[in-house]
Amino acid sequence: MAVLDQVPDDNENPSAAARRRTAIAELLRRIAPVADGLGERFAAAGHELALVGGPVRDALLRRPSKDVDLTTDAPPQKILEIIDGWADNVWTIGIEFGTVGLRKDGHELEITTYRSESYDPKSRKPEVSYGTSLVEDLRRRDFAVNAMAARLPGYEFVDPFGGLTDLQRKVLRTPGRPEDSFSDDPLRMMRAARFAAQLGFTVAPDVVQAMKDMAGRIEIVSAERVRDELSKLICGRYPREGLALLVDTGLAAHVLPELPKLRLEIDEHHRHKDVYEHSLIVLEQAIAQEKEGPDLVLRLAALLHDIGKPRTRRFEAGGRVSFHHHEVVGAKMTRKRLTALRYPKDVVADASRLVELHLRFHGYGTGEWTDSAVRRYVRDAGPLLTRLHKLTRADCTTRNKRKADRLRRTYDDLEARIERLAEEEELAAIRPELDGNEIQAILGIRPGPLVGRAYKFLLELRLDQGMIGKEAAERELRRWAAEEGIEPEDGESPEGGRPPTPPGPTGSES
């Protein structure tokens, strides 16, 4: 990442300031007419307007930025007056916190009144008060690198707390005392870890110490806000740095306590790999396989795949250590933790399912699985199969090159078999060869639990033997029904096979 190499001081080279303005103007090039026009409207109304925070930081880092965040001394109602008749669309969902959103010529912008906010010790909602000074607004921001602004129109650079210097040094500092900053908004401690993960910056020692001293303060923040920061951290470019900071400062003990618990004590008599370090490596190796940007579900599963080990660790004879069924225990723990963090139900279900399945491959041996076992592997993974491939490959962290090569070749073989069977049998949609209507017609039964039992039998038959044809499937179904003592229900007659028009609903086969 290229950072402008000029540090502002009282005798700053004018060309340095010009280059800074150019960098910020480049960011705004695509919306320059909108930004300039908006700045002129605010100036005409006697109010200030400035591009602020992340967009300015990213412009100086030459990083793309989707956000266009602006700040002003105008109160929210005055903002609405200034943009009335000019904006194509306006939304006020954040107006209680001083923020007005607007769309103009296809561009979305957010304008926030200069403000400060703080938390009452017993409240999860911040108290907001408005200000009149850009410098004071910048002072209340989380880090100096986010406390820079560019006044509009003209892009005059404002950096009262040395944010540009911090960009050069790749360090995160707070504009004032970190204790005051984190007291005002404890979520900033999570944001420190998040920016470390996104930017690869180090965190200043006094900030780290404040995080350690005040880690328990994070409990006042809502689970949803913690979740959002954690997701951004995990999906950052350097998640190891951010996660390590959470663990080392004690924040993880409050927001993701399963992670520090992976630091299992290892004695000289009972040795096993460092589960915490192993989990971070698995996360990095899973990330290395991503082709279309960060995959939150895959990353969560990689990070949490072994969280069941502390609860299942057993010391065996001869110095062995076992973790029997840690994948099952870990799946339940994953589900509980992600639910507590208010993750969407699909994320919870998918991540916990991957944790549950991550050891399945190790029963494959050197290829001893039958085609039936391969079909079950695919069926159980369902739409998560591609992610399961990546997680399974990432879970190999052995330093033994021969062993690693053997595991890689074995999984290559499994994937090849899956592809072959998929071509032959449409594995992605494994279903019995008879549907619910046909089951009812053949056995002379009505919709209900019995149809579900028959469907399950046929599904197992399909997994065991593959495609055998409808006639053979019908013979097997009749044989099964006879063994189970299933007889036609009143008013139903299975003679003559399936009727030309199947009856009503399909039962419980969905």
Side-chain angles (χ1 to χ4, degrees):
M1 294 181 292
V3 181
L4 295 185
D5 57 5
Q6 287 76 24
V7 180
D9 57 33
D10 293 339
N11 299 309
E12 183 182 35
N13 185 330
S15 65
R19 280 193 286 272
R20 277 203 311 279
R21 286 195 296 271
T22 299
I24 297 168
E26 284 179 2
L27 168 75
L28 288 176
R29 183 183 304 163
R30 59 188 174 87
I31 63 163
V34 172
D36 289 341
L38 190 58
E40 290 167 359
R41 289 182 71 88
F42 272 76
H47 287 283
E48 300 175 353
L49 184 69
L51 182 72
V52 69
V56 177
R57 177 201 67 219
D58 289 339
L60 296 171
L61 289 173
R62 307 293 189 181
R63 296 174 75 239
S65 178
K66 297 180 181 179
D67 300 326
V68 182
D69 297 330
L70 302 157
T71 189
T72 179
D73 62 340
Q77 290 303 321
K78 187 63 178 180
I79 296 174
L80 292 174
E81 292 178 17
I82 294 172
I83 64 176
D84 183 40
W86 180 81
D88 298 329
N89 191 23
V90 176
W91 54 94
T92 59
I93 190 171
I95 198 166
E96 64 175 308
F97 298 110
T99 299
V100 174
L102 66 91
R103 182 179 293 108
K104 176 68 174 178
D105 296 340
H107 303 295
E108 293 187 359
L109 307 89
E110 284 193 347
I111 308 172
T112 301
T113 304
Y114 297 157
R115 70 185 189 189
S116 62
E117 58 188 37
S118 61
Y119 278 81
D120 182 272
K122 297 182 180 180
S123 173
R124 289 181 179 270
K125 292 186 177 180
E127 297 179 357
V128 176
S129 59
Y130 300 133
T132 58
S133 165
L134 174 59
V135 171
E136 290 306 309
D137 178 82
L138 296 176
R139 186 189 305 278
R140 65 94 185 168
R141 292 178 180 267
D142 52 8
F143 302 105
V145 295
N146 295 329
M148 299 179 288
R151 295 184 187 275
L152 298 176
Y155 311 128
E156 176 194 348
F157 185 63
V158 181
D159 180 21
F161 303 105
L164 186 59
T165 301
D166 288 353
L167 285 186
Q168 292 175 308
R169 296 173 180 173
K170 297 185 177 181
V171 64
L172 291 174
R173 291 183 308 105
T174 54
R177 287 184 354 114
E179 294 84 0
D180 296 336
S181 180
F182 298 156
S183 179
D184 286 346
D185 185 354
L187 190 67
R188 290 172 177 171
M189 295 184 286
M190 290 287 298
R191 287 170 64 84
R194 188 248 285 190
F195 285 124
Q198 288 182 327
L199 303 175
F201 284 17
T202 59
V203 180
D206 63 327
V207 177
V208 172
Q209 186 60 52
M211 293 170 68
K212 292 179 179 179
D213 295 340
M214 304 178 68
R217 182 96 169 114
I218 196 68
E219 298 280 356
I220 201 67
V221 182
S222 69
E224 290 83 358
R225 295 188 75 200
V226 170
R227 173 205 63 206
D228 291 345
E229 291 298 328
L230 183 62
S231 295
K232 292 174 183 177
L233 184 162
I234 291 174
C235 290
R237 187 175 180 182
Y238 313 98
R240 172 190 279 268
E241 283 76 359
L243 292 167
L245 186 61
L246 290 183
V247 172
D248 294 342
T249 59
L251 275 168
H254 298 276
V255 302
L256 195 63
E258 296 80 6
L259 185 59
K261 289 180 180 178
L262 292 177
R263 285 179 158 175
L264 300 176
E265 293 182 5
I266 302 175
D267 61 46
E268 60 181 327
H269 302 295
H270 298 89
R271 300 195 62 82
H272 55 78
K273 68 175 63 177
D274 182 338
V275 183
Y276 172 73
E277 178 64 20
H278 164 76
S279 298
L280 294 180
I281 294 174
V282 171
L283 172 60
E284 291 175 327
Q285 294 186 166
I287 292 171
Q289 298 177 71
E290 293 176 342
K291 296 181 179 179
E292 299 179 358
D295 182 338
L296 176 62
V297 168
L298 176 63
R299 294 189 182 200
L300 285 170
L303 179 64
L304 303 176
H305 76 286
D306 273 349
I307 62 172
K309 280 190 170 181
R311 290 190 183 180
T312 58
R313 182 170 64 162
R314 297 293 182 271
F315 297 119
E316 310 288 354
R320 292 183 60 252
V321 180
S322 66
F323 303 96
H324 295 309
H325 305 301
H326 76 269
E327 74 281 11
V328 177
V329 173
K332 293 179 180 178
M333 293 172 64
T334 298
R335 189 176 300 111
K336 182 178 180 180
R337 176 53 52 197
L338 297 185
T339 299
L341 287 168
R342 303 291 193 271
Y343 275 98
K345 290 182 178 180
D346 59 332
V347 173
V348 175
D350 290 350
S352 58
R353 183 60 169 159
L354 286 170
V355 172
E356 183 179 4
L357 293 174
H358 83 272
L359 282 185
R360 184 72 64 87
F361 161 71
H362 294 284
Y364 188 72
T366 56
E368 288 85 359
W369 276 4
T370 62
D371 284 352
S372 171
V374 175
R375 294 187 194 100
R376 281 184 167 80
Y377 186 79
V378 174
R379 190 272 308 269
D380 290 347
L384 298 173
L385 183 62
T386 299
R387 284 173 168 147
L388 183 58
H389 287 332
K390 295 176 182 177
L391 177 58
T392 301
R393 290 183 180 277
D395 196 23
C396 175
T397 61
T398 179
R399 295 180 181 179
N400 185 319
K401 187 176 184 302
R402 182 177 298 178
K403 181 179 180 181
D405 288 343
R406 183 175 70 250
L407 286 171
R408 177 183 52 76
R409 289 194 301 269
T410 303
Y411 206 82
D412 287 345
D413 178 68
L414 174 58
E415 286 201 56
R417 288 181 65 185
I418 290 173
E419 291 181 8
R420 175 178 59 78
L421 288 172
E423 292 176 0
E424 296 173 356
E425 305 181 19
E426 298 181 2
L427 282 185
I430 293 181
R431 295 183 178 86
E433 293 180 79
L434 302 174
D435 64 23
N437 286 333
E438 292 168 318
I439 291 171
Q440 295 172 56
I442 292 168
L443 299 183
I445 59 177
R446 296 187 179 92
L450 194 55
V451 178
R453 286 175 54 197
Y455 186 91
K456 184 176 180 180
F457 163 76
L458 290 171
L459 179 58
E460 293 298 318
L461 181 71
R462 169 80 169 78
L463 291 168
D464 284 336
Q465 300 185 25
M467 300 285 285
I468 62 176
K470 287 200 170 188
E471 290 186 3
E474 181 174 333
R475 286 196 301 271
E476 291 297 321
L477 176 62
R478 292 183 183 278
R479 179 188 59 77
W480 171 82
E483 292 176 354
E484 295 290 317
I486 297 172
E487 297 181 354
E489 298 175 1
D490 292 343
E492 303 290 343
S493 175
E495 284 79 10
R498 295 178 296 279
T501 302
T506 59
S508 58
E509 77 278 9
S510 59

PDB file of all heavy atoms in Angstrom, residues 177-206:
ATOM      1  N   ARG A 177      -6.536  10.452  25.066  1.00  0.00           N
ATOM      2  CA  ARG A 177      -6.184   9.310  25.905  1.00  0.00           C
ATOM      3  C   ARG A 177      -7.040   8.114  25.519  1.00  0.00           C
ATOM      4  O   ARG A 177      -8.260   8.225  25.402  1.00  0.00           O
ATOM      5  CB  ARG A 177      -6.431   9.642  27.382  1.00  0.00           C
ATOM      6  CG  ARG A 177      -5.436  10.596  27.991  1.00  0.00           C
ATOM      7  CD  ARG A 177      -5.652  10.843  29.477  1.00  0.00           C
ATOM      8  NE  ARG A 177      -6.835  10.238  30.032  1.00  0.00           N
ATOM      9  CZ  ARG A 177      -6.822   9.252  30.957  1.00  0.00           C
ATOM     10  NH1 ARG A 177      -5.680   8.773  31.395  1.00  0.00           N
ATOM     11  NH2 ARG A 177      -7.953   8.797  31.441  1.00  0.00           N
ATOM     12  N   PRO A 178      -6.426   6.938  25.299  1.00  0.00           N
ATOM     13  CA  PRO A 178      -7.226   5.774  24.911  1.00  0.00           C
ATOM     14  C   PRO A 178      -8.263   5.395  25.958  1.00  0.00           C
ATOM     15  O   PRO A 178      -9.352   4.919  25.618  1.00  0.00           O
ATOM     16  CB  PRO A 178      -6.178   4.670  24.712  1.00  0.00           C
ATOM     17  CG  PRO A 178      -4.955   5.137  25.419  1.00  0.00           C
ATOM     18  CD  PRO A 178      -4.993   6.627  25.339  1.00  0.00           C
ATOM     19  N   GLU A 179      -7.946   5.631  27.234  1.00  0.00           N
ATOM     20  CA  GLU A 179      -8.910   5.304  28.285  1.00  0.00           C
ATOM     21  C   GLU A 179     -10.191   6.124  28.125  1.00  0.00           C
ATOM     22  O   GLU A 179     -11.302   5.603  28.309  1.00  0.00           O
ATOM     23  CB  GLU A 179      -8.299   5.560  29.671  1.00  0.00           C
ATOM     24  CG  GLU A 179      -7.142   4.651  30.023  1.00  0.00           C
ATOM     25  CD  GLU A 179      -5.812   5.131  29.465  1.00  0.00           C
ATOM     26  OE1 GLU A 179      -5.787   6.203  28.790  1.00  0.00           O
ATOM     27  OE2 GLU A 179      -4.798   4.453  29.704  1.00  0.00           O
ATOM     28  N   ASP A 180     -10.038   7.397  27.765  1.00  0.00           N
ATOM     29  CA  ASP A 180     -11.215   8.241  27.555  1.00  0.00           C
ATOM     30  C   ASP A 180     -11.998   7.789  26.328  1.00  0.00           C
ATOM     31  O   ASP A 180     -13.236   7.748  26.339  1.00  0.00           O
ATOM     32  CB  ASP A 180     -10.788   9.701  27.390  1.00  0.00           C
ATOM     33  CG  ASP A 180     -10.130  10.266  28.644  1.00  0.00           C
ATOM     34  OD1 ASP A 180     -10.396   9.733  29.745  1.00  0.00           O
ATOM     35  OD2 ASP A 180      -9.335  11.220  28.513  1.00  0.00           O
ATOM     36  N   SER A 181     -11.255   7.453  25.281  1.00  0.00           N
ATOM     37  CA  SER A 181     -11.902   7.023  24.043  1.00  0.00           C
ATOM     38  C   SER A 181     -12.699   5.748  24.253  1.00  0.00           C
ATOM     39  O   SER A 181     -13.858   5.630  23.828  1.00  0.00           O
ATOM     40  CB  SER A 181     -10.843   6.808  22.951  1.00  0.00           C
ATOM     41  OG  SER A 181     -11.436   6.387  21.753  1.00  0.00           O
ATOM     42  N   PHE A 182     -12.101   4.765  24.933  1.00  0.00           N
ATOM     43  CA  PHE A 182     -12.775   3.487  25.131  1.00  0.00           C
ATOM     44  C   PHE A 182     -13.886   3.582  26.162  1.00  0.00           C
ATOM     45  O   PHE A 182     -14.830   2.785  26.139  1.00  0.00           O
ATOM     46  CB  PHE A 182     -11.764   2.417  25.539  1.00  0.00           C
ATOM     47  CG  PHE A 182     -10.710   2.154  24.493  1.00  0.00           C
ATOM     48  CD1 PHE A 182      -9.473   1.620  24.842  1.00  0.00           C
ATOM     49  CD2 PHE A 182     -10.953   2.443  23.163  1.00  0.00           C
ATOM     50  CE1 PHE A 182      -8.510   1.376  23.881  1.00  0.00           C
ATOM     51  CE2 PHE A 182      -9.984   2.207  22.189  1.00  0.00           C
ATOM     52  CZ  PHE A 182      -8.765   1.677  22.554  1.00  0.00           C
ATOM     53  N   SER A 183     -13.781   4.537  27.064  1.00  0.00           N
ATOM     54  CA  SER A 183     -14.872   4.757  28.010  1.00  0.00           C
ATOM     55  C   SER A 183     -16.075   5.338  27.281  1.00  0.00           C
ATOM     56  O   SER A 183     -17.219   4.947  27.537  1.00  0.00           O
ATOM     57  CB  SER A 183     -14.429   5.693  29.132  1.00  0.00           C
ATOM     58  OG  SER A 183     -15.489   5.924  30.049  1.00  0.00           O
ATOM     59  N   ASP A 184     -15.808   6.266  26.351  1.00  0.00           N
ATOM     60  CA  ASP A 184     -16.889   6.858  25.569  1.00  0.00           C
ATOM     61  C   ASP A 184     -17.584   5.805  24.710  1.00  0.00           C
ATOM     62  O   ASP A 184     -18.813   5.778  24.628  1.00  0.00           O
ATOM     63  CB  ASP A 184     -16.347   7.965  24.663  1.00  0.00           C
ATOM     64  CG  ASP A 184     -15.988   9.216  25.438  1.00  0.00           C
ATOM     65  OD1 ASP A 184     -16.406   9.321  26.608  1.00  0.00           O
ATOM     66  OD2 ASP A 184     -15.284  10.075  24.874  1.00  0.00           O
ATOM     67  N   ASP A 185     -16.792   4.951  24.061  1.00  0.00           N
ATOM     68  CA  ASP A 185     -17.362   3.909  23.201  1.00  0.00           C
ATOM     69  C   ASP A 185     -16.482   2.666  23.272  1.00  0.00           C
ATOM     70  O   ASP A 185     -15.464   2.573  22.573  1.00  0.00           O
ATOM     71  CB  ASP A 185     -17.472   4.405  21.760  1.00  0.00           C
ATOM     72  CG  ASP A 185     -18.179   3.392  20.858  1.00  0.00           C
ATOM     73  OD1 ASP A 185     -18.470   2.283  21.336  1.00  0.00           O
ATOM     74  OD2 ASP A 185     -18.429   3.715  19.682  1.00  0.00           O
ATOM     75  N   PRO A 186     -16.849   1.681  24.083  1.00  0.00           N
ATOM     76  CA  PRO A 186     -16.027   0.473  24.248  1.00  0.00           C
ATOM     77  C   PRO A 186     -15.837  -0.319  22.961  1.00  0.00           C
ATOM     78  O   PRO A 186     -14.878  -1.074  22.835  1.00  0.00           O
ATOM     79  CB  PRO A 186     -16.803  -0.350  25.288  1.00  0.00           C
ATOM     80  CG  PRO A 186     -17.664   0.643  26.004  1.00  0.00           C
ATOM     81  CD  PRO A 186     -18.027   1.675  24.982  1.00  0.00           C
ATOM     82  N   LEU A 187     -16.749  -0.140  21.994  1.00  0.00           N
ATOM     83  CA  LEU A 187     -16.607  -0.889  20.746  1.00  0.00           C
ATOM     84  C   LEU A 187     -15.329  -0.510  20.012  1.00  0.00           C
ATOM     85  O   LEU A 187     -14.841  -1.259  19.170  1.00  0.00           O
ATOM     86  CB  LEU A 187     -17.821  -0.638  19.838  1.00  0.00           C
ATOM     87  CG  LEU A 187     -17.911  -1.540  18.598  1.00  0.00           C
ATOM     88  CD1 LEU A 187     -18.164  -2.982  18.995  1.00  0.00           C
ATOM     89  CD2 LEU A 187     -18.997  -1.048  17.640  1.00  0.00           C
ATOM     90  N   ARG A 188     -14.755   0.634  20.334  1.00  0.00           N
ATOM     91  CA  ARG A 188     -13.517   1.059  19.682  1.00  0.00           C
ATOM     92  C   ARG A 188     -12.378   0.082  19.948  1.00  0.00           C
ATOM     93  O   ARG A 188     -11.438   0.004  19.165  1.00  0.00           O
ATOM     94  CB  ARG A 188     -13.146   2.473  20.144  1.00  0.00           C
ATOM     95  CG  ARG A 188     -14.100   3.537  19.613  1.00  0.00           C
ATOM     96  CD  ARG A 188     -13.847   4.896  20.211  1.00  0.00           C
ATOM     97  NE  ARG A 188     -14.746   5.892  19.628  1.00  0.00           N
ATOM     98  CZ  ARG A 188     -14.870   7.129  20.072  1.00  0.00           C
ATOM     99  NH1 ARG A 188     -14.150   7.534  21.117  1.00  0.00           N
ATOM    100  NH2 ARG A 188     -15.703   7.973  19.483  1.00  0.00           N
ATOM    101  N   MET A 189     -12.455  -0.647  21.052  1.00  0.00           N
ATOM    102  CA  MET A 189     -11.444  -1.672  21.299  1.00  0.00           C
ATOM    103  C   MET A 189     -11.532  -2.767  20.247  1.00  0.00           C
ATOM    104  O   MET A 189     -10.508  -3.258  19.760  1.00  0.00           O
ATOM    105  CB  MET A 189     -11.611  -2.247  22.714  1.00  0.00           C
ATOM    106  CG  MET A 189     -11.357  -1.240  23.815  1.00  0.00           C
ATOM    107  SD  MET A 189     -11.437  -1.957  25.480  1.00  0.00           S
ATOM    108  CE  MET A 189     -13.216  -2.193  25.659  1.00  0.00           C
ATOM    109  N   MET A 190     -12.756  -3.155  19.888  1.00  0.00           N
ATOM    110  CA  MET A 190     -12.939  -4.127  18.805  1.00  0.00           C
ATOM    111  C   MET A 190     -12.480  -3.537  17.474  1.00  0.00           C
ATOM    112  O   MET A 190     -11.902  -4.231  16.639  1.00  0.00           O
ATOM    113  CB  MET A 190     -14.409  -4.539  18.702  1.00  0.00           C
ATOM    114  CG  MET A 190     -14.934  -5.392  19.830  1.00  0.00           C
ATOM    115  SD  MET A 190     -14.306  -7.090  19.770  1.00  0.00           S
ATOM    116  CE  MET A 190     -14.954  -7.662  18.195  1.00  0.00           C
ATOM    117  N   ARG A 191     -12.739  -2.252  17.296  1.00  0.00           N
ATOM    118  CA  ARG A 191     -12.339  -1.610  16.041  1.00  0.00           C
ATOM    119  C   ARG A 191     -10.823  -1.563  15.908  1.00  0.00           C
ATOM    120  O   ARG A 191     -10.287  -1.640  14.794  1.00  0.00           O
ATOM    121  CB  ARG A 191     -12.934  -0.201  15.970  1.00  0.00           C
ATOM    122  CG  ARG A 191     -14.437  -0.201  15.712  1.00  0.00           C
ATOM    123  CD  ARG A 191     -15.048   1.180  15.895  1.00  0.00           C
ATOM    124  NE  ARG A 191     -14.552   2.138  14.933  1.00  0.00           N
ATOM    125  CZ  ARG A 191     -15.044   2.290  13.695  1.00  0.00           C
ATOM    126  NH1 ARG A 191     -16.022   1.503  13.278  1.00  0.00           N
ATOM    127  NH2 ARG A 191     -14.560   3.207  12.892  1.00  0.00           N
ATOM    128  N   ALA A 192     -10.114  -1.449  17.018  1.00  0.00           N
ATOM    129  CA  ALA A 192      -8.648  -1.485  16.957  1.00  0.00           C
ATOM    130  C   ALA A 192      -8.186  -2.809  16.380  1.00  0.00           C
ATOM    131  O   ALA A 192      -7.312  -2.867  15.504  1.00  0.00           O
ATOM    132  CB  ALA A 192      -8.057  -1.272  18.359  1.00  0.00           C
ATOM    133  N   ALA A 193      -8.784  -3.893  16.868  1.00  0.00           N
ATOM    134  CA  ALA A 193      -8.434  -5.219  16.350  1.00  0.00           C
ATOM    135  C   ALA A 193      -8.867  -5.363  14.904  1.00  0.00           C
ATOM    136  O   ALA A 193      -8.170  -5.967  14.071  1.00  0.00           O
ATOM    137  CB  ALA A 193      -9.079  -6.297  17.218  1.00  0.00           C
ATOM    138  N   ARG A 194     -10.022  -4.785  14.583  1.00  0.00           N
ATOM    139  CA  ARG A 194     -10.515  -4.886  13.205  1.00  0.00           C
ATOM    140  C   ARG A 194      -9.598  -4.161  12.226  1.00  0.00           C
ATOM    141  O   ARG A 194      -9.248  -4.687  11.159  1.00  0.00           O
ATOM    142  CB  ARG A 194     -11.916  -4.300  13.119  1.00  0.00           C
ATOM    143  CG  ARG A 194     -12.573  -4.550  11.754  1.00  0.00           C
ATOM    144  CD  ARG A 194     -12.746  -3.286  10.961  1.00  0.00           C
ATOM    145  NE  ARG A 194     -13.843  -2.486  11.472  1.00  0.00           N
ATOM    146  CZ  ARG A 194     -14.317  -1.419  10.832  1.00  0.00           C
ATOM    147  NH1 ARG A 194     -13.785  -1.037   9.682  1.00  0.00           N
ATOM    148  NH2 ARG A 194     -15.282  -0.678  11.364  1.00  0.00           N
ATOM    149  N   PHE A 195      -9.152  -2.946  12.585  1.00  0.00           N
ATOM    150  CA  PHE A 195      -8.253  -2.204  11.692  1.00  0.00           C
ATOM    151  C   PHE A 195      -6.883  -2.873  11.603  1.00  0.00           C
ATOM    152  O   PHE A 195      -6.234  -2.825  10.553  1.00  0.00           O
ATOM    153  CB  PHE A 195      -8.118  -0.756  12.145  1.00  0.00           C
ATOM    154  CG  PHE A 195      -9.323   0.084  11.831  1.00  0.00           C
ATOM    155  CD1 PHE A 195      -9.992   0.770  12.827  1.00  0.00           C
ATOM    156  CD2 PHE A 195      -9.796   0.170  10.538  1.00  0.00           C
ATOM    157  CE1 PHE A 195     -11.115   1.532  12.536  1.00  0.00           C
ATOM    158  CE2 PHE A 195     -10.916   0.929  10.230  1.00  0.00           C
ATOM    159  CZ  PHE A 195     -11.577   1.617  11.243  1.00  0.00           C
ATOM    160  N   ALA A 196      -6.450  -3.508  12.682  1.00  0.00           N
ATOM    161  CA  ALA A 196      -5.201  -4.270  12.602  1.00  0.00           C
ATOM    162  C   ALA A 196      -5.341  -5.387  11.578  1.00  0.00           C
ATOM    163  O   ALA A 196      -4.407  -5.685  10.818  1.00  0.00           O
ATOM    164  CB  ALA A 196      -4.846  -4.844  13.973  1.00  0.00           C
ATOM    165  N   ALA A 197      -6.522  -6.023  11.537  1.00  0.00           N
ATOM    166  CA  ALA A 197      -6.771  -7.109  10.593  1.00  0.00           C
ATOM    167  C   ALA A 197      -6.947  -6.602   9.165  1.00  0.00           C
ATOM    168  O   ALA A 197      -6.542  -7.256   8.205  1.00  0.00           O
ATOM    169  CB  ALA A 197      -8.010  -7.903  11.027  1.00  0.00           C
ATOM    170  N   GLN A 198      -7.556  -5.454   8.999  1.00  0.00           N
ATOM    171  CA  GLN A 198      -7.821  -4.932   7.663  1.00  0.00           C
ATOM    172  C   GLN A 198      -6.602  -4.252   7.050  1.00  0.00           C
ATOM    173  O   GLN A 198      -6.333  -4.403   5.856  1.00  0.00           O
ATOM    174  CB  GLN A 198      -8.984  -3.935   7.710  1.00  0.00           C
ATOM    175  CG  GLN A 198     -10.338  -4.579   7.933  1.00  0.00           C
ATOM    176  CD  GLN A 198     -11.462  -3.565   7.912  1.00  0.00           C
ATOM    177  OE1 GLN A 198     -11.289  -2.416   8.331  1.00  0.00           O
ATOM    178  NE2 GLN A 198     -12.621  -3.967   7.435  1.00  0.00           N
ATOM    179  N   LEU A 199      -5.869  -3.481   7.858  1.00  0.00           N
ATOM    180  CA  LEU A 199      -4.774  -2.664   7.343  1.00  0.00           C
ATOM    181  C   LEU A 199      -3.399  -3.245   7.614  1.00  0.00           C
ATOM    182  O   LEU A 199      -2.414  -2.809   7.017  1.00  0.00           O
ATOM    183  CB  LEU A 199      -4.852  -1.253   7.944  1.00  0.00           C
ATOM    184  CG  LEU A 199      -6.152  -0.482   7.712  1.00  0.00           C
ATOM    185  CD1 LEU A 199      -6.122   0.840   8.472  1.00  0.00           C
ATOM    186  CD2 LEU A 199      -6.384  -0.250   6.234  1.00  0.00           C
ATOM    187  N   GLY A 200      -3.310  -4.207   8.543  1.00  0.00           N
ATOM    188  CA  GLY A 200      -2.014  -4.746   8.913  1.00  0.00           C
ATOM    189  C   GLY A 200      -1.220  -3.800   9.787  1.00  0.00           C
ATOM    190  O   GLY A 200       0.002  -3.925   9.895  1.00  0.00           O
ATOM    191  N   PHE A 201      -1.891  -2.832  10.432  1.00  0.00           N
ATOM    192  CA  PHE A 201      -1.214  -1.869  11.301  1.00  0.00           C
ATOM    193  C   PHE A 201      -0.986  -2.476  12.681  1.00  0.00           C
ATOM    194  O   PHE A 201      -1.706  -3.364  13.121  1.00  0.00           O
ATOM    195  CB  PHE A 201      -2.065  -0.604  11.461  1.00  0.00           C
ATOM    196  CG  PHE A 201      -2.033   0.315  10.268  1.00  0.00           C
ATOM    197  CD1 PHE A 201      -1.584  -0.121   9.023  1.00  0.00           C
ATOM    198  CD2 PHE A 201      -2.470   1.619  10.386  1.00  0.00           C
ATOM    199  CE1 PHE A 201      -1.568   0.733   7.936  1.00  0.00           C
ATOM    200  CE2 PHE A 201      -2.467   2.483   9.304  1.00  0.00           C
ATOM    201  CZ  PHE A 201      -2.014   2.036   8.074  1.00  0.00           C
ATOM    202  N   THR A 202       0.028  -1.961  13.380  1.00  0.00           N
ATOM    203  CA  THR A 202       0.219  -2.314  14.782  1.00  0.00           C
ATOM    204  C   THR A 202      -0.553  -1.314  15.645  1.00  0.00           C
ATOM    205  O   THR A 202      -0.886  -0.215  15.196  1.00  0.00           O
ATOM    206  CB  THR A 202       1.703  -2.275  15.172  1.00  0.00           C
ATOM    207  OG1 THR A 202       2.217  -0.958  14.924  1.00  0.00           O
ATOM    208  CG2 THR A 202       2.497  -3.293  14.372  1.00  0.00           C
ATOM    209  N   VAL A 203      -0.806  -1.714  16.874  1.00  0.00           N
ATOM    210  CA  VAL A 203      -1.553  -0.863  17.795  1.00  0.00           C
ATOM    211  C   VAL A 203      -0.585  -0.309  18.824  1.00  0.00           C
ATOM    212  O   VAL A 203       0.239  -1.045  19.383  1.00  0.00           O
ATOM    213  CB  VAL A 203      -2.687  -1.652  18.481  1.00  0.00           C
ATOM    214  CG1 VAL A 203      -3.455  -0.759  19.444  1.00  0.00           C
ATOM    215  CG2 VAL A 203      -3.628  -2.245  17.429  1.00  0.00           C
ATOM    216  N   ALA A 204      -0.646   0.987  19.057  1.00  0.00           N
ATOM    217  CA  ALA A 204       0.280   1.645  19.979  1.00  0.00           C
ATOM    218  C   ALA A 204       0.228   0.986  21.359  1.00  0.00           C
ATOM    219  O   ALA A 204      -0.844   0.573  21.806  1.00  0.00           O
ATOM    220  CB  ALA A 204      -0.059   3.127  20.087  1.00  0.00           C
ATOM    221  N   PRO A 205       1.378   0.902  22.039  1.00  0.00           N
ATOM    222  CA  PRO A 205       1.419   0.218  23.344  1.00  0.00           C
ATOM    223  C   PRO A 205       0.425   0.757  24.362  1.00  0.00           C
ATOM    224  O   PRO A 205      -0.184  -0.010  25.104  1.00  0.00           O
ATOM    225  CB  PRO A 205       2.867   0.443  23.795  1.00  0.00           C
ATOM    226  CG  PRO A 205       3.641   0.589  22.534  1.00  0.00           C
ATOM    227  CD  PRO A 205       2.728   1.311  21.600  1.00  0.00           C
ATOM    228  N   ASP A 206       0.242   2.084  24.416  1.00  0.00           N
ATOM    229  CA  ASP A 206      -0.701   2.620  25.405  1.00  0.00           C
ATOM    230  C   ASP A 206      -2.135   2.243  25.072  1.00  0.00           C
ATOM    231  O   ASP A 206      -2.972   2.075  25.971  1.00  0.00           O
ATOM    232  CB  ASP A 206      -0.549   4.141  25.518  1.00  0.00           C
ATOM    233  CG  ASP A 206      -0.893   4.866  24.223  1.00  0.00           C
ATOM    234  OD1 ASP A 206      -0.647   4.303  23.137  1.00  0.00           O
ATOM    235  OD2 ASP A 206      -1.400   6.006  24.304  1.00  0.00           O
TER     236      ASP A 206
END
